[in-house]
Amino acid sequence: MDEYGFFVELKNYLGFAFDGDNKIAGSLNGLDYEICFASYGTLRVHSVMRLFGDDPFKDHIESAFQKLVFFKSYSIVNDNVFLFVDTFELTEDTAFSITEDLTSFSASLSALGYKSVNEGTGAFAAPAAGTTAYYEQIMEKQGIKRDEPQPVLPDNMFLGIIGALLGTAGSVLIWFLLSMLNYTTPYIIGAVLVVTAPIVMYELFSKERTSAFQIVLCLFLSLLGIFVGERFIWTFTLLYWYDDISFQIAYYEVPHLIEDYIVEAFDYYKDYVICFAALAIMYFVIIRNYLKGGMTIREMLSARRKR
């Protein structure tokens, strides 16, 4: 049986379809796969998957792999998972054995909550180290399970933090300037900017997919930006209202505006209602998307612009 005939048998067993020459692709238990010959005699199964937005955990992949009979080695590169088998006969029995292994592998990971990731430009994302030389290096070590360390924090965390800090500072400044116009619409636009800018700038600087660390950090910075921005907006409002007070007096008076009968409670708290409503909506969408392993923040905003 030649390679084409073998793939015909394999795709029939799996329910997959041809995706180019001598390559098949399809889904098992909610996980997408593409299967091809990486080199002569070496079959490679590739899937891009995430667990609630995080890269695959080695222990999970190892546990699922240990149940397999036909596949001999695996590799993890970020959210890319590879299964390899080398030197085998192209027979119907082989196709059936691969089907059994892949079904077992998919069932194990799907039960843990793993889902496939679609990058929007194709079924699979190219791995960060996805060069021909890289794959050759993996295949030279067939039979050896590669220990891919799982980073506790994102690789470009520090660049992301710088971006988030710049986004927070810049958005608070713009919000403050817009609030000086004394109109509701510019104020709301500024508040939305404070909520959005930190997480977008983090991603632009780090060039990584959305992470739990990014969400927690940027949520904190957005909250900080809201409280700092509100404090200075009210401070300069008092300076505008009263000519005989200093910046220091106005600044320290802000928490006491209601009890000193300077402003009504509704007028004071409605600003926070606007800010926290924008924050809640924004992070509900982000966290929901993160848990589903979906689009990045930039992809989400880009998709909205195209509508």
Side-chain angles (χ1 to χ4, degrees):
M1 183 182 295
D2 60 10
E3 290 185 1
Y4 178 80
F6 174 74
F7 273 127
V8 169
E9 292 293 335
L10 187 58
K11 84 175 183 64
N12 290 338
Y13 276 126
L14 292 168
F16 284 12
F18 276 102
D19 183 22
D21 296 334
N22 288 339
K23 180 169 67 174
I24 60 174
S27 178
L28 285 175
N29 289 297
L31 294 174
D32 296 332
Y33 295 95
E34 88 178 357
I35 304 176
C36 66
F37 283 98
S39 66
Y40 179 76
T42 300
L43 189 74
R44 183 181 77 212
V45 177
H46 173 210
S47 182
V48 186
M49 62 182 72
R50 293 174 77 84
L51 178 64
F52 304 129
D54 287 321
D55 287 344
F57 291 90
K58 182 180 182 299
D59 290 345
H60 294 165
I61 305 302
E62 172 74 20
S63 177
F65 178 79
Q66 290 295 337
K67 301 175 184 178
L68 307 187
V69 176
F70 198 75
F71 288 96
K72 302 304 180 184
S73 63
Y74 73 91
S75 177
I76 311 171
V77 184
N78 298 327
D79 52 6
N80 293 263
V81 176
F82 301 90
L83 298 174
F84 297 98
V85 61
D86 196 8
T87 312
F88 62 93
E89 295 182 1
L90 302 180
T91 65
E92 186 176 346
D93 288 340
T94 298
F96 182 74
S97 297
I98 292 174
T99 301
E100 285 190 318
D101 270 6
L102 203 53
T103 302
S104 169
F105 188 75
S106 301
S108 298
L109 296 179
S110 180
L112 293 172
Y114 280 89
K115 296 182 183 298
S116 283
V117 177
N118 293 321
E119 293 295 328
T121 56
F124 297 95
T131 61
T132 302
Y134 178 77
Y135 290 126
E136 289 176 352
Q137 183 180 12
I138 293 177
M139 288 181 283
E140 286 175 1
K141 299 180 179 180
Q142 289 299 304
I144 301 175
K145 302 178 184 64
R146 292 170 55 85
D147 291 327
E148 295 290 341
Q150 298 296 321
V152 177
L153 294 172
D155 293 336
N156 295 329
M157 176 187 67
F158 293 109
L159 286 176
I161 292 174
I162 292 172
L165 290 172
L166 290 175
T168 303
S171 61
V172 170
L173 177 60
I174 294 172
W175 184 33
F176 170 75
L177 295 175
L178 289 174
S179 70
M180 293 297 102
L181 298 176
N182 202 27
Y183 291 103
T184 302
T185 301
Y187 177 88
I188 294 176
I189 293 173
V192 171
L193 190 62
V194 172
V195 169
T196 308
I199 198 162
V200 172
M201 291 295 289
Y202 181 103
E203 198 167 276
L204 287 174
F205 274 61
S206 68
K207 293 182 173 59
E208 292 180 337
R209 294 188 61 84
T210 308
S211 65
F213 175 81
Q214 173 189 356
I215 292 175
V216 172
L217 172 70
C218 295
L219 178 59
F220 169 76
L221 290 177
S222 291
L223 286 169
L224 181 64
I226 288 171
F227 286 111
V228 171
E230 276 292 317
R231 189 70 176 262
F232 279 98
I233 288 171
W234 276 112
T235 297
F236 279 85
T237 299
L238 291 177
L239 290 174
Y240 176 76
W241 286 350
Y242 303 99
D243 296 331
D244 57 342
I245 62 172
S246 65
F247 174 85
Q248 185 177 7
I249 293 174
Y251 181 82
Y252 286 109
E253 178 60 27
V254 173
H256 309 289
L257 291 175
I258 298 174
E259 63 187 73
D260 291 343
Y261 301 102
I262 297 175
V263 297
E264 297 289 337
F266 175 79
D267 293 330
Y268 183 77
Y269 288 116
K270 73 176 182 180
D271 294 348
Y272 287 103
V273 170
I274 292 171
C275 295
F276 290 135
L279 186 74
I281 293 171
M282 178 69 177
Y283 276 85
F284 171 79
V285 174
I286 291 172
I287 293 172
R288 180 174 177 272
N289 185 70
Y290 165 73
L291 292 176
K292 294 176 66 176
M295 296 182 289
T296 65
I297 306 300
R298 288 169 293 167
E299 289 168 346
M300 289 170 59
L301 295 176
S302 176
R304 283 191 167 274
R305 284 197 298 268
K306 292 177 181 177
R307 289 177 182 175

